[in-house]
Amino acid sequence: MRQSLDRVIPPALQDRMIREADEATPGNRFEVFTVKTPHAPTRGAYREITKILDGLAK
């Protein structure tokens, strides 16, 4: 999950971490979802994150 407004772990660093993890496990790449939220998600962002996680569970 990318958090596009995060200033603790900026999006560029998140992208690097995702890219390096994908390179380390090429047969098991991440499916990345971006949520417009800071490091500590807002109430609305939690709803969006819950919908994403619920969709993955189906």
Side-chain angles (χ1 to χ4, degrees):
M1 182 89 46
R2 277 179 88 254
Q3 293 170 268
S4 65
L5 301 178
D6 195 336
R7 292 191 294 172
V8 176
I9 304 174
L13 180 54
Q14 294 175 52
D15 292 339
R16 177 181 172 185
M17 292 164 54
I18 293 164
R19 183 180 64 253
E20 288 178 359
D22 282 343
E23 290 170 358
T25 58
N28 188 26
R29 298 179 64 84
F30 283 90
E31 182 175 357
V32 180
F33 298 88
T34 300
V35 179
K36 189 175 180 179
T37 185
H39 192 76
T42 61
R43 207 179 223 174
Y46 273 120
R47 280 190 214 96
E48 186 177 352
I49 292 166
T50 300
K51 287 180 186 178
I52 292 168
L53 295 174
D54 186 53
L56 293 173
K58 294 180 180 180

